[in-house]
Amino acid sequence: AQRVTQPEKLLSVFKGAPVELKCNYSYSGSPELFWYVQYSRQRLQLLLRHISRESIKGFTADLNKGETSFHLKKPFAQEEDSAMYYCALSGRGGYQKVTFGTGTKLQVIP
Amino acid sequence: EAGVTQFPSHSVIEKGQTVTLRCDPISGHDNLYWYRRVMGKEIKFLLHFVKESKQDESGMPNNRFLAERTGGTYSTLKVQPAELEDSGVYFCASSQGHQKNIQYFGAGTRLSVL
């Protein structure tokens, strides 16, 4: 069974402080990992995916297969980063169901 | 280009009533998905259409839920009869055929069953 765990429901940091949103997963095989974000009054949108190896809005995430983690990081938090963040995974190839974590609310304090 | 559109944005019904949610995917997207988030829990997959065919409906909770996608365009999700535990936010997403795993989400329909 595939599972995504986000241990923190709420993470509060001060503006300019580093951010790390934790995500661990369980999957037998090679998964594809994603981070989705939902800003206030906006729809859920893809932030980044691990195979792209890109940095979006200053956020990065590295897939650690040994620790089965895909933590989302940003060196300096901005107020506009405040949002709900969801880690998600799917299998690769063809159609694969996407499984989401419960989400972490990031609150950046001015 | 319009994104994924869901209607209504909020629905309040009484237990035992019927509700129909609608989703219009991004034009040209063959894949359409329904998800649900019950308060405090994760976003859970309900089902997936490829054009008008149900590819995977393993997440549908029970036979009170019926999803259709006639003509392979918009989709409806009917709950009949609605129960209290059906309350939550229902999301629709769509994706292109060659990028199945990049899903674009609608704003969701908040369903409140009283």
Side-chain angles (χ1 to χ4, degrees):
Chain A
Q2 52 195 60
R3 179 174 293 175
V4 177
T5 303
Q6 294 179 252
E8 304 140 327
K9 284 191 175 180
L10 173 66
L11 180 65
S12 296
V13 301
F14 285 101
K15 178 182 174 181
V19 175
E20 183 178 48
L21 300 171
K22 290 184 167 45
C23 172
N24 288 86
Y25 66 90
S26 173
Y27 186 81
S28 54
S30 293
E32 185 167 354
L33 274 296
F34 310 83
W35 277 97
Y36 279 83
V37 60
Q38 188 170 25
Y39 299 102
S40 180
R41 295 188 180 85
Q42 293 187 30
R43 60 190 61 196
L44 197 63
Q45 56 187 288
L46 180 66
L47 180 62
L48 55 81
R49 50 198 300 223
H50 89 271
I51 63 172
S52 300
R53 292 188 161 274
E54 54 194 349
S55 173
I56 304 294
K57 299 184 179 183
F59 284 97
T60 58
D62 290 318
L63 179 60
N64 186 321
K65 292 183 179 179
E67 296 181 358
T68 59
S69 68
F70 188 58
H71 303 325
L72 184 67
K73 300 178 183 179
K74 184 170 182 176
F76 308 103
Q78 302 298 315
E79 289 180 64
E80 57 265 28
D81 296 330
S82 295
M84 196 75 181
Y85 291 81
Y86 294 92
C87 184
L89 74 76
S90 73
R92 300 200 197 187
Y95 164 70
Q96 298 285 343
K97 184 189 312 187
V98 177
T99 298
F100 288 86
T102 50
T104 298
K105 183 175 182 178
L106 175 64
Q107 183 180 58
V108 180
I109 304 165
Chain B
E1 178 185 302
V4 176
T5 305
Q6 291 188 247
F7 182 82
S9 57
H10 192 185
S11 180
V12 181
I13 61 172
E14 292 187 350
K15 176 182 172 181
Q17 290 186 318
T18 298
V19 63
T20 300
L21 314 180
R22 172 169 170 148
C23 169
D24 286 75
I26 292 173
S27 178
H29 282 194
D30 289 340
N31 297 286
L32 186 150
Y33 313 83
W34 284 98
Y35 295 88
R36 176 174 74 169
R37 184 178 65 211
V38 173
M39 185 179 291
K41 299 197 173 181
E42 68 270 29
I43 299 170
K44 278 197 169 180
F45 167 83
L46 297 179
L47 88 159
H48 167 221
F49 284 99
V50 177
K51 297 184 180 178
E52 67 275 9
S53 300
K54 291 177 185 174
Q55 176 75 20
D56 182 352
E57 52 184 327
S58 62
M60 294 288 265
N62 51 61
N63 58 12
R64 295 186 293 103
F65 289 75
L66 174 63
E68 294 180 321
R69 193 183 182 195
T70 307
T73 53
Y74 71 90
S75 174
T76 57
L77 179 64
K78 181 190 286 188
V79 185
Q80 179 183 29
E83 298 290 342
L84 299 178
E85 64 265 24
D86 300 332
S87 296
V89 181
Y90 289 77
F91 292 102
C92 176
S94 71
S95 69
Q96 289 184 315
H98 67 282
Q99 289 191 316
K100 295 183 181 69
N101 287 340
I102 299 180
Q103 300 184 18
Y104 298 87
F105 280 77
T109 294
R110 181 175 296 279
L111 175 63
S112 300
V113 183
L114 306 178

